[in-house]
């Protein structure tokens, strides 16, 4: 049996286990082990040796220290009530517009995403903050929940973004360059959501009420309350891109700053700190398990030569690069219905990345093409999170709306 056939069978096993709701990390470990078992005719010594080396080399990687720090930063922001001050600030400036409260929810999602890095956490947190206000001002249930679900996707696009960090680790790309490249698309996505919301409430004026215009003093107070959050974002992003600190150092500063803000401004106490630390440990353990599974699956697929053969086949097939890209983007849309963003990135990048890097897009050099594809893939993954029937953000918001 050819290496391509073995690799495709391993991927089929992996997808089958995912359909059966086996954890993504365990699924990829099984898929990788199956590749080693098949290629080595049932001899498991190579598998055990590789797994031992992979576990040490991956989990001792200094670059990965940035993940628990950014996760802790998001936990402090979530349990410290910082999301509420962001929403109130946005509402103070645009809440009086038609559909302004919904726009405030989207703006707050973008702002919270700047200190969180997770789409699901952003959607869950902002659901509890924004949905009660939207309901109180007679936003229809469909419009209110759709607004928060769509806005929640900005959590993985506005840096810092955990999926972008994983993409950088997998492709050996610069975290700083990816973060900076994501800022403009994130802002454009937020503005686009706001424009669509404005069009919807203009067409159906009964779907949302306006709120009283905030006074200058109220706006100033709301802005002052959110200044520390803006400061944290600027310190992290400007610090990384300006070369004043590496991503791990910037994440450390951001986590400490969010913790202090959560205690002083958000009223977080020992129980909130304990919950944040436990949540960080659980999330980090899950991410590292998935990373280890992805490494073993990637090693197994590399052993079969499937990614290389597939990339060569695509390159020599004569297919237009944009057609290949379109097929990849459609695949992401489909996967987004049933998987979260992190799992999609880890499962697909080892397969799709060699294809993209072997094709010519607008004359881009290797580094520019890598960054461009990373942002493009992340944006499509973001859309997948709100694509029926099984968009992950939809379930998060629905559960919060039912409370």
């Amino acid at each position: 049996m050819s290496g391509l056939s073995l690799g495709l069978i391993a991927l089929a096993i992996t997808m089958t286990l995912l359909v059966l709701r086996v954890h993504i990390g365990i699924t990829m470990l099984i898929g990788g082990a199956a590749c080693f078992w098949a290629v080595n005719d049932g001899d498991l010594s190579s598998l055990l040796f590789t797994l031992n080396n992979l576990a040490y080399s991956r989990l001792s990687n200094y670059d990965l220290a940035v993940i628990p720090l950014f996760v802790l930063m998001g936990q402090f922001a979530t349990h410290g009530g910082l999301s509420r001050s962001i929403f109130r600030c946005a509402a103070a400036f645009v809440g009086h517009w038609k559909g302004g409260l919904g726009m405030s929810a989207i703006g707050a999602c973008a702002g919270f995403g700047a200190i969180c890095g997770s789409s699901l956490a952003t959607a869950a947190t902002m659901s509890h903050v924004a949905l009660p206000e939207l309901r109180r001002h007679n936003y229809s249930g469909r419009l209110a929940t759709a607004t928060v679900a769509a806005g929640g996707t900005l959590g993985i696009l506005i840096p810092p973004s955990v999926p972008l960090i994983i993409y950088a680790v997998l492709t050996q790309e610069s975290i700083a360059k990816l973060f900076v490249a994501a800022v403009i698309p994130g802002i454009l996505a937020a503005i686009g959501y706001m424009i669509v919301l404005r069009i919807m409430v203009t067409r159906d004026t009964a779907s949302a009420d306006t709120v009283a215009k905030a006074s200058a003093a109220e706006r100033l107070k709301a802005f002052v309350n959110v200044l520390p959050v803006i400061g944290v974002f600027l310190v992290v992003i400007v610090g990384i891109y300006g070369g004043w600190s590496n991503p791990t150092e910037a994440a450390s500063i951001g986590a400490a700053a969010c913790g202090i803000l959560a205690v002083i401004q958000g009223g977080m106490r020992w129980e909130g700190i304990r919950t944040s630390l436990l949540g960080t440990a659980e999330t980090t353990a899950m991410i590292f398990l998935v990373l280890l599974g992805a490494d073993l699956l990637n090693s197994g697929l590399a052993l079969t030569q499937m990614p290389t053969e597939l990339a060569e086949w695509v390159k020599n097939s004569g297919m237009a690069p944009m057609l290949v890209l379109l097929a990849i983007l459609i695949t992401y849309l489909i996967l987004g219905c049933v998987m979260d963003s992190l799992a999609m990135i880890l499962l697909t990048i080892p397969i799709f990345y060699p294809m993209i890097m072997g094709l010519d897009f607008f004359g881009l050099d290797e580094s520019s093409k890598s960054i461009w594809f990373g942002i493009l893939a992340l944006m499509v993954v973001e859309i997948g999170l709100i694509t029926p029937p099984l968009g992950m953000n939809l379930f998060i918001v629905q559960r919060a709306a039912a409370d």
Side-chain angles (χ1 to χ4, degrees):
M1 187 178 294
S2 68
L4 180 61
S5 299
L6 285 175
L8 291 175
I9 291 172
L11 281 180
I13 292 172
T14 302
M15 297 306 296
T16 301
L17 291 173
L18 286 175
V19 171
L20 296 175
R21 303 184 66 83
V22 178
H23 188 276
I24 179 67
I26 303 299
T27 294
M28 289 193 288
L29 283 170
I30 293 173
C35 289
F36 276 89
W37 180 81
V39 171
N40 293 295
D41 297 323
D43 183 7
L44 298 181
S45 57
S46 176
L47 168 63
L48 296 175
F49 179 79
T50 302
L51 188 57
N52 177 59
N53 286 341
L54 283 178
Y56 177 78
S57 62
R58 173 58 75 197
L59 302 183
S60 64
N61 187 345
Y62 174 76
D63 291 341
L64 287 183
V66 73
I67 293 177
L69 290 170
F70 275 132
V71 171
L72 180 61
M73 184 174 163
Q75 288 284 337
F76 281 150
T78 300
H79 298 292
L82 301 183
S83 56
R84 197 169 299 278
S85 62
I86 299 173
F87 177 71
R88 287 173 178 169
C89 179
F93 283 89
V94 302
H96 60 283
W97 296 354
K98 188 65 179 176
L101 208 59
M103 295 181 192
S104 301
I106 293 171
C109 286
F112 188 75
I115 55 174
C116 178
S118 167
S119 174
L120 300 183
T122 300
T125 303
M126 295 312 302
S127 292
H128 293 292
V129 172
L131 281 181
E133 287 297 310
L134 294 174
R135 286 170 172 166
R136 194 161 65 86
H137 290 87
N138 296 321
Y139 276 68
S140 67
R142 292 174 60 187
L143 181 60
T145 52
T147 297
V148 177
T153 62
L154 298 172
I156 62 170
L157 189 55
I158 303 287
S161 167
V162 173
L164 270 186
I165 295 171
I166 298 300
Y167 178 87
V169 171
L170 291 177
T171 61
Q172 300 300 305
E173 193 51 74
S174 166
I175 294 176
K177 290 181 180 179
L178 283 166
F179 277 6
V180 172
V183 171
I184 299 301
I187 293 173
L188 290 176
I191 293 173
Y193 288 150
M194 291 180 184
I195 292 173
V196 171
L197 177 63
R198 180 61 181 264
I199 293 172
M200 292 182 67
V201 297
T202 300
R203 291 175 58 187
D204 184 7
T205 56
S207 62
D209 290 346
T210 56
V211 299
K213 185 176 180 178
S215 65
E218 289 172 333
R219 289 183 175 182
L220 179 60
K221 181 180 179 181
F223 181 69
V224 169
N225 287 338
V226 86
L227 272 178
V229 178
I230 297 174
V232 171
F233 173 75
L234 291 178
V235 165
V236 171
I237 300 303
V238 176
I240 292 175
Y241 192 67
W244 305 333
S245 58
N246 61 41
T248 303
E249 292 166 347
S252 302
I253 296 170
C258 275
I260 294 171
L261 287 175
V263 171
I264 296 176
Q265 185 175 315
M268 186 173 69
R269 295 297 177 258
W270 285 113
E271 183 58 31
I273 294 173
R274 176 179 172 276
T275 303
S276 298
L277 293 174
L278 285 176
T280 300
E282 291 171 359
T283 302
T284 303
M286 181 273 294
I287 292 174
F288 281 10
L289 174 62
V290 175
L291 268 174
L292 185 58
D295 279 343
L296 187 62
L297 179 61
N298 298 344
S299 298
L301 292 177
L303 197 63
T304 68
Q305 296 295 308
M306 189 272 278
T308 303
E309 290 184 23
L310 200 56
E312 279 298 315
W313 178 81
V314 170
K315 185 177 181 179
N316 298 326
S317 66
M319 295 175 63
M322 294 305 295
L323 185 61
V324 176
L325 180 63
L326 178 63
I328 290 174
L329 298 183
I330 291 174
T331 302
Y332 275 127
L333 286 175
I334 296 171
L335 289 177
C337 297
V338 295
M339 298 171 65
D340 67 14
S341 55
L342 183 61
M344 275 188 281
I345 294 294
L346 285 165
L347 185 61
T348 60
I349 288 303
I351 300 168
F352 293 155
Y353 187 76
M355 294 184 193
I356 293 297
M357 299 307 289
L359 299 173
D360 178 53
F361 291 93
F362 319 113
L364 294 173
D365 59 47
E366 293 293 303
S367 179
S368 299
K369 185 161 51 176
S370 175
I371 293 171
W372 171 72
F373 177 65
I375 302 302
L376 187 61
L378 193 67
M379 293 187 73
V380 183
V381 166
E382 169 190 301
I383 296 171
L385 290 173
I386 52 173
T387 303
L390 297 173
M392 298 295 289
N393 271 22
L394 303 180
F395 285 98
I396 296 290
V397 175
Q398 188 274 336
R399 186 171 61 184
D403 291 342

